[in-house]
Amino acid sequence: MPTVEREDVEDLLKRLAGRNSLRSEATIQADVRQILLTGGLNLAENDLEVNLEAQVGNRRRIDVEVGYTVIEVKKNLSETVVREAEVQLGDYVATRTRETGQRYVGILTDGAEWRAYQLENDILVEATRYTLKTGRPDLQALLRWLEGVLATRRNVPPTPSEIHDRLGAESASYSLDRANLAALYEAHGQLPTVQLKRQLWSQLLRSALGTQFSDDELFLEHTLLVNSAEIIAHLVLGLDVTDMQPATLLAGQRFALAQIYGVVEEDFFDWVLEVPGGESFIRTLARRLARFDWANVEHDVLKVLYESIIGSETRKRLGEYYTPDWLADQVVAEVVTNPLNQRVLDPACGSGTFLFHAVRRHLAAAEEAGIPLATALSGLTSHVLGIDLHPVAVALARVTYLLAIGRHRLIDQRRGPITVPIYLGDSVQWTQRVDLFSQDHLLISTGIGSQLYEDELRFPDHLLADAGRFDRLISEMATLAGKNRAKGAVPSLNALFKRLAIAEADQPAVKESFQVLCRLQDEDRDHIWSYYIRNLVRPVWLGRAENRVDVLVGNPPWLSYRYMPTDMQETFREMSEARDLWHGRTVATHQDLSGLFVARAVQQYLKVGGSFAFVLPNAVLDRGYFAGFRSGKYSDGSEEVAAAFSGSWDLRRIRPHFFPRGGSVVFGERTQSNPHALPTETVRWTGNLPRGAHSWEAVKQYLKREPATLVISNTETEGPSPYGSRFSAGATIFPKVLFFVQPQPADPLGYGAGRRAVRSKRSSTEKAQWKKLPDVTGVVESEFVRPVLLGESILPYQVLPPQEAVLPIEGNQLLDTQDPRLDLYPGLAEWWRFVDSQWECHRSSDRLTLRERIDFRRGLTGQLPPPPLRVVYGASGMHVVAALVDNESAVCEHKLYWATVTSYDEGLYLCAILNCPALTQLVRPLMSYGKDERDIDKHIWKLPIPLYDPSNEVHARLATLGRLEATLVEALELDENKGFVKLRQVVRKALAEGHYAKEVDELVVGLLDQ
């Protein structure tokens, strides 16, 4: 096959992107074939031919056929051409699918635009498209898109970037698979078996994540992820998944034969096999995943798959922030100091990042000690364990555990049986299951029958001591109960008892439970009991004092209080108050689950003397609302729980940020009754990480560690400065599309005196549910179109022109939609009632009315009437920015804090202090940390900024200097079209180069030092 140089391919691509109308379909067809052959798609290596004019019966010919894809080429893709071509292409796809039993994809292209289709309920539906840019067509982007459709590459290294590009939500592979899965669910989702599994999934997630996540979209994404993970598990062992039956793949039969348990099993997500077309979907998915070489993986790559599919907003609301591998590696190395003798548990294991490194550390120690492989693996699965409440996380973590063991060990004939000890369970134990154990037995109600013991599964509790053996016992009992047998028949368990060495005294109880399992199968009420029993029991069993572990490690969920469902908020507050962890007041909504999770995990799972290391929000180190957590006193009245903290890592100065919020690590151990508060001495990490680096070896040269002292914030809102109580946040005018407006051209006839035509002012930062809404237009009485100052309206000492918003403010009153006075203003009434109806339709989980939202915490009415003179400063930013406002009609939005001042001198005094660069440096250690050190809020007033006293020499001089600096800024020629960020830079530079900067700096530092 002739080869073509890269330059020739790019020239060819430019021809295609140019859409030359003189080119024939045959020429475009030949160029498309050339792209397929020379673009590095591995067609030759896979014995796949690129066939032109392939016959498809009745003298019909497919333009281009390759693998399981048919391509129709046209000169252009006008609306008429597309309609006719889609009919033709649909016939080709249906014919090939029918002939081969494989799921085919169709591509329609004119060389510049590429559209991929697949059949959904016998109708051809577009799933994804890619369009070449005319000027500079991107060859690699097109090839990635094509390869995602064709799935022809082999031995792709499963690096994070390759996983993201080829399987993530932006890939062609994902678009096709997701559309296929959605079509299957839409057609068959109401089947009782499918609904049962969706219901069980929903019930499980709700206990930790809230009802807002129990939707069909998330269920489908979870189905795709878990099915993918189970297929990847087979690929880790080197099995040819393209030649396996889909039912075998999802049931894990090959794993049972290989004596590898607890990896792939029947779960909520095998519903795809119960609907027509599901097997074809699994075959196609398997073919896509088989492109990767899963034999040698050096870190947890499956978290990349998860993060590439589940949107960042959803993960934020779940509190899911996955830990980078290099950090997990270092945390494990710090706390797992004797891997062969320490039992390690990650109680919120996620996709298994910490487990991966704990497994590698244990096996390395075993090899160094000369321990035989079978003994090493047996010891491993009793020494490194994980729990998570998220079924997708558990599925991914189990595969990650296998990746950590490595294919070479798994296929070694010297190894014995392996049970991967990762369980689906509730580590917090929101509802403590004390009912599971009674009189030395494990009891599980099945909710059937009325005879004695008929509604219970009973097992001697000492059987749980050997987790692997118990899991195999349950799994094989469920398999026997589900096998073909006469209804009512109960197979013998003697062979199983002998194989697993079940003591004779324990056999009667096991036999009774087996009879219950058989009856559940006969009545079609099996409810995946094997999956349920093992996962429900293990967290409770580990919580018994005699079974607790030596080390707890991990990254618990950072689920904010405001994202919890109401009943979970109540339980969270109750459990937090019992342990003196509840702070309340204005920071209640900022509190999150992480502190309570650690306290509860230490109580449940860590033996006295055992160590812990957890990745937590940076606020844990120094914010006031984590004071209870830092104390180490976690007793709740039922059990003595005390932690002795030994130190921490402050990670907030590493760039780029790897979490949406600043991070930290805390270390300590459980003590009998002597808590030790978290020391103020910490280890501060700094550095800039190279893009795409994941391992410790790749990042360590870029990071620096040094001792530092934490500045503890004792209060969250007020501080030493008396100005703290005077400043208030502005109004939450949200969603902006319903309020902020721009003027419309006047009608030739006009609108009458005192009325204005306006239209919504759109923003690129609108959230999804508001972005799709059309503009709001209307004619509104002029008095209700108010100037609004935003955070971006403020420069040092200067205010940019405000934006405008329609606000229902009459005098000093905020009108409600039901207020009879509203009808005195017909333009406002029509606007206000319309936007209120839009809010009701689209507000999602927000429980406030629209009026309550814009006046949240009296952010709007608290400004009425607007004072004649105010100091305002930005609530967030890399620098504190403040100015004087003397516009009595202007309203401050929530990104501003404002306070009335009694004179210009007082205002200029405050502006001089707040705009001083030294002030920003002083306040940064006191600020709460998000992605950057930007959350200024009211942390300024934790500094001792005194009330203005005109008789004080320093105060008066600062007011004078403030006036001089304000005059300097006023004289600058500022181009307001450049944006507020650039303008602030210009002003700061001018102030820094001015005659007064040094004196202001010295006076401010001296004032605050006092």
Side-chain angles (χ1 to χ4, degrees):
M1 182 180 300
T3 60
V4 179
E5 296 294 330
R6 178 181 177 86
E7 290 79 5
D8 294 334
V9 176
E10 292 183 344
D11 288 341
L12 184 155
L13 204 65
K14 290 178 182 177
R15 289 203 305 271
L16 290 173
R19 288 188 170 97
N20 189 331
S21 60
L22 299 178
R23 303 190 69 213
S24 67
E25 285 185 4
T27 305
I28 299 174
Q29 186 175 309
D31 284 350
V32 167
R33 180 176 186 271
Q34 197 64 31
I35 286 285
L36 296 173
L37 289 173
T38 61
L41 296 173
N42 287 40
L43 298 177
E45 290 85 343
N46 290 288
D47 298 321
L48 293 175
E49 296 183 1
V50 180
N51 296 314
L52 298 181
E53 302 295 334
Q55 293 187 358
V56 72
N58 294 330
R59 298 184 178 180
R60 295 170 300 162
R61 292 180 182 275
I62 296 172
D63 287 346
V64 184
E65 182 173 11
V66 53
Y68 299 110
T69 305
V70 295
I71 303 175
E72 184 69 14
V73 178
K74 297 297 180 187
K75 285 184 64 175
N76 66 76
L77 294 184
S78 67
E79 187 175 336
T80 303
V81 170
V82 168
R83 273 201 310 269
E84 294 175 354
E86 285 177 345
V87 174
Q88 189 177 11
L89 189 62
D91 183 39
Y92 294 159
V93 172
T95 300
R96 283 293 193 246
T97 298
R98 188 167 55 251
E99 290 173 349
T100 65
Q102 295 284 348
R103 188 169 186 84
Y104 267 67
V105 175
I107 292 178
L108 179 59
T109 183
D110 63 357
E113 186 172 317
W114 300 70
R115 305 183 184 188
Y117 300 80
Q118 57 189 358
L119 290 176
E120 296 178 7
N121 303 322
D122 298 324
I123 298 174
L124 194 71
V125 177
E126 183 181 341
T128 177
R129 71 170 66 180
Y130 180 79
T131 303
L132 290 169
K133 295 180 180 178
T134 305
R136 298 178 61 185
D138 188 336
L139 174 63
Q140 292 307 313
L142 173 62
L143 293 176
R144 275 196 302 272
W145 185 88
L146 277 171
E147 201 282 321
V149 175
L150 300 172
T152 53
R153 285 283 304 275
R154 287 293 177 269
N155 298 317
V156 177
T159 62
S161 60
E162 292 285 9
I163 295 286
H164 178 272
D165 290 346
R166 299 186 187 279
L167 297 176
E170 303 301 317
S171 68
S173 293
Y174 172 82
S175 297
L176 289 164
D177 292 335
R178 181 65 174 75
N180 191 354
L181 192 62
L184 292 175
Y185 188 77
E186 182 178 359
H188 310 290
Q190 296 307 311
L191 290 176
T193 53
V194 177
Q195 281 298 300
L196 171 63
K197 290 183 177 179
R198 189 204 176 284
Q199 181 182 357
L200 290 171
W201 165 85
S202 177
Q203 289 172 350
L204 177 71
L205 259 64
R206 192 190 186 287
S207 65
L209 311 181
T211 54
Q212 62 268 42
F213 299 108
S214 300
D215 55 49
D216 288 341
E217 292 297 315
L218 194 61
F219 182 55
L220 293 179
E221 289 176 344
H222 284 186
T223 298
L224 178 58
L225 278 164
V226 173
N227 289 170
S228 298
E230 292 175 340
I231 293 169
I232 291 170
H234 290 78
L235 292 165
V236 172
L237 296 182
L239 299 173
D240 183 3
V241 297
T242 61
D243 196 37
M244 293 175 65
Q245 290 297 317
T248 301
L249 277 172
L250 298 195
Q253 294 172 10
R254 294 293 294 272
F255 281 86
L257 288 174
Q259 292 190 301
I260 300 175
Y261 304 97
V263 180
V264 179
E265 56 189 345
E266 293 181 348
D267 54 31
F268 311 122
F269 308 108
D270 58 10
W271 63 267
V272 293
L273 298 180
E274 300 171 7
V275 303
E279 290 193 354
S280 176
F281 167 77
I282 295 299
R283 287 194 184 95
T284 301
L285 184 61
R287 193 169 71 248
R288 296 194 196 287
L289 294 170
R291 295 177 288 168
F292 293 85
D293 177 13
W294 300 98
N296 298 299
V297 176
E298 291 305 318
H299 45 263
D300 173 14
V301 296
L302 294 187
K303 68 166 170 268
V304 181
L305 178 62
Y306 180 85
E307 292 176 331
S308 297
I309 290 179
I310 303 298
S312 59
E313 190 62 29
T314 297
R315 286 185 277 115
K316 175 182 175 182
R317 296 174 73 186
L318 294 171
E320 295 175 339
Y321 303 128
Y322 281 8
T323 310
D325 274 87
W326 63 264
L327 178 58
D329 183 355
Q330 290 302 288
V331 171
V332 169
E334 187 81 9
V335 74
V336 183
T337 54
N338 187 5
L340 295 180
N341 296 305
Q342 290 173 307
R343 291 177 65 232
V344 181
L345 171 67
D346 183 345
C349 66
S351 62
T353 306
F354 289 91
L355 298 176
F356 184 95
H357 295 284
V359 167
R360 285 287 171 93
R361 192 166 181 80
H362 184 98
L363 292 175
E367 288 181 5
E368 186 176 347
I371 297 173
L373 178 63
T375 306
L377 290 178
S378 176
L380 168 69
T381 57
S382 63
H383 279 80
V384 180
L385 307 93
I387 301 172
D388 204 289
L389 189 58
H390 200 310
V392 175
V394 168
L396 298 178
R398 289 170 174 172
V399 180
T400 298
Y401 204 100
L402 288 188
L403 291 169
I405 293 174
R407 181 184 295 177
H408 64 288
R409 296 187 183 93
L410 294 170
I411 64 175
D412 194 312
Q413 296 301 309
R414 294 170 296 174
R415 72 149 176 86
I418 300 173
T419 298
V420 173
I422 298 176
Y423 302 98
L424 184 71
D426 174 14
S427 288
V428 176
Q429 293 288 295
W430 294 97
T431 305
Q432 298 184 48
R433 296 301 305 269
V434 295
D435 57 316
L436 287 178
F437 293 94
S438 177
Q439 295 181 341
D440 299 323
H441 277 73
L442 163 68
L443 305 177
I444 296 177
S445 172
T446 65
I448 67 162
S450 58
Q451 299 178 23
L452 185 62
Y453 297 132
E454 188 177 27
D455 65 343
E456 289 180 343
L457 297 168
R458 302 172 65 248
F459 300 93
D461 63 359
H462 61 261
L463 290 179
L464 277 76
D466 186 337
R469 184 175 69 150
F470 180 77
D471 287 359
R472 292 198 295 275
L473 172 66
I474 298 300
S475 180
E476 295 195 33
M477 285 172 60
T479 300
L480 285 171
K483 279 187 173 178
N484 295 329
R485 57 181 174 79
K487 194 169 184 177
V490 179
S492 171
L493 296 179
N494 291 337
L496 179 61
F497 288 156
K498 185 175 181 179
R499 188 165 64 255
L500 297 181
I502 303 299
E504 189 172 341
D506 297 330
Q507 293 178 14
V510 176
K511 287 180 179 178
E512 287 181 0
S513 294
F514 183 59
Q515 290 174 355
V516 175
L517 285 176
C518 290
R519 283 196 294 275
L520 287 167
Q521 286 280 354
D522 291 342
E523 297 175 18
D524 294 325
R525 302 175 73 180
D526 58 295
H527 291 228
I528 53 178
W529 285 108
S530 167
Y531 182 75
Y532 185 78
I533 294 168
R534 292 183 294 106
N535 290 297
L536 173 73
V537 167
R538 189 57 52 185
V540 181
W541 182 83
L542 283 169
R544 301 175 79 179
E546 65 272 20
N547 302 322
R548 290 173 179 164
V549 300
D550 303 290
V551 176
L552 287 178
V553 66
N555 180 356
W558 301 6
L559 180 61
S560 294
Y561 179 83
R562 60 186 177 275
Y563 292 135
M564 298 177 188
T566 303
D567 54 350
M568 185 178 180
Q569 287 180 337
E570 293 173 357
T571 306
F572 170 78
R573 178 168 182 168
E574 180 183 319
M575 294 178 73
S576 297
E577 286 179 336
R579 295 164 175 78
D580 290 328
L581 301 177
W582 179 256
H583 195 279
R585 298 200 293 278
T586 59
V587 297
T589 59
H590 296 287
Q591 295 189 225
D592 64 55
L593 178 57
S594 59
L596 174 62
F597 188 101
V598 171
R600 188 73 173 130
V602 168
Q603 177 183 7
Q604 289 281 103
Y605 305 120
L606 190 62
K607 64 174 59 172
V608 173
S611 302
F612 62 81
F614 285 103
V615 176
L616 296 170
N618 198 269
V620 163
L621 300 185
D622 51 22
R623 297 301 97 188
Y625 54 92
F626 274 104
F629 174 79
R630 291 194 296 271
S631 72
K633 302 173 184 178
Y634 307 142
S635 302
D636 62 353
S638 63
E639 183 180 6
E640 190 72 25
V641 185
F645 286 103
S646 56
S648 64
W649 293 346
D650 181 348
L651 307 176
R652 63 186 137 194
R653 287 175 175 80
I654 298 174
R655 300 293 186 272
H657 289 283
F658 41 88
F659 297 130
R661 298 160 62 187
S664 68
V665 185
V666 298
F667 301 92
E669 67 175 45
R670 181 173 183 173
T671 66
Q672 187 66 49
S673 58
N674 299 307
H676 186 276
L678 184 70
T680 55
E681 294 75 25
T682 188
V683 176
R684 179 178 294 156
W685 293 53
T686 57
N688 293 287
L689 300 179
R691 185 174 182 179
H694 297 277
S695 69
W696 174 243
E697 288 300 315
V699 304
K700 65 181 182 181
Q701 63 180 308
Y702 300 98
L703 292 172
K704 179 182 177 182
R705 287 184 267 191
E706 58 187 5
T709 301
L710 296 165
V711 179
I712 304 299
S713 169
N714 294 317
T715 61
E716 291 308 310
T717 55
E718 311 302 337
S721 175
Y723 279 110
S725 60
R726 287 173 56 175
F727 276 84
S728 302
T732 310
I733 306 175
F734 173 85
K736 289 188 175 182
V737 66
L738 301 183
F739 295 98
F740 284 87
V741 295
Q742 55 190 343
Q744 287 290 92
D747 187 276
L749 296 178
Y751 300 110
R755 287 158 56 83
R756 292 180 54 188
V758 291
R759 173 186 293 272
S760 295
K761 184 179 178 66
R762 307 308 296 244
S763 166
S764 61
T765 59
E766 291 173 11
K767 293 187 180 294
Q769 72 261 42
W770 307 111
K771 187 174 291 187
K772 62 186 178 183
L773 292 184
D775 290 352
V776 185
T777 60
V779 178
V780 179
E781 291 77 12
S782 300
E783 65 191 276
F784 300 109
V785 182
R786 300 289 290 257
V788 177
L789 298 175
L790 311 179
E792 62 200 57
S793 305
I794 308 302
L795 308 179
Y797 292 106
Q798 192 168 83
V799 179
L800 294 172
Q803 294 192 23
E804 293 185 317
V806 176
L807 297 172
I809 299 172
E810 183 194 48
N812 299 329
Q813 302 295 314
L814 182 61
L815 302 180
D816 190 80
T817 55
Q818 305 303 315
D819 194 314
R821 291 175 297 172
L822 186 63
D823 293 310
L824 298 175
Y825 314 100
L828 173 67
E830 183 177 356
W831 183 288
W832 185 223
R833 285 170 179 150
F834 175 75
V835 298
D836 184 67
S837 68
Q838 293 291 92
W839 171 258
E840 292 299 323
C841 290
H842 301 284
R843 64 178 173 174
S844 185
S845 59
D846 199 310
R847 293 188 286 267
L848 301 179
T849 67
L850 187 57
R851 185 190 184 284
E852 290 169 340
R853 168 50 61 202
I854 65 171
D855 196 33
F856 184 65
R857 291 181 177 166
R858 298 196 68 244
L860 185 54
T861 56
Q863 300 184 55
L864 302 178
L869 189 61
R870 287 169 282 178
V871 167
V872 299
Y873 71 86
S876 64
M878 296 300 293
H879 304 269
V880 181
V881 179
L884 267 172
V885 174
D886 55 7
N887 184 338
E888 292 188 44
S889 62
V891 171
C892 292
E893 195 245 3
H894 78 288
K895 287 297 184 180
L896 287 176
Y897 279 87
W898 65 274
T900 303
V901 288
T902 58
S903 67
Y904 274 95
D905 282 349
E906 182 183 16
L908 291 167
Y909 158 80
L910 280 174
C911 286
I913 294 172
L914 297 180
N915 288 317
C916 176
L919 185 282
T920 294
Q921 297 304 316
L922 289 169
V923 80
R924 274 185 178 165
L926 305 174
M927 289 159 55
S928 56
Y929 286 75
K931 285 194 67 176
D932 286 299
E933 301 161 359
R934 302 180 56 85
D935 298 326
I936 297 166
D937 294 317
K938 297 185 73 172
H939 300 299
I940 293 172
W941 312 116
K942 295 169 188 172
L943 297 171
I945 300 173
L947 283 177
Y948 176 66
D949 179 359
S951 65
N952 183 297
E953 235 177 78
V954 172
H955 295 198
R957 181 57 182 165
L958 281 171
T960 299
L961 291 169
R963 179 175 287 103
L964 292 170
E965 289 201 317
T967 302
L968 185 157
V969 173
E970 188 177 1
L972 295 174
E973 293 185 6
L974 299 174
D975 182 357
E976 295 177 4
N977 294 318
K978 288 188 175 180
F980 74 97
V981 174
K982 180 62 177 176
L983 293 178
R984 286 178 179 175
Q985 292 173 351
V986 171
V987 173
R988 283 199 302 272
K989 184 173 184 292
L991 289 171
E993 294 174 351
H995 299 299
Y996 321 110
K998 183 178 180 182
E999 185 180 356
V1000 170
D1001 188 82
E1002 290 174 350
L1003 289 176
V1004 169
V1005 171
L1007 182 73
L1008 299 183
D1009 276 348
Q1010 294 175 21

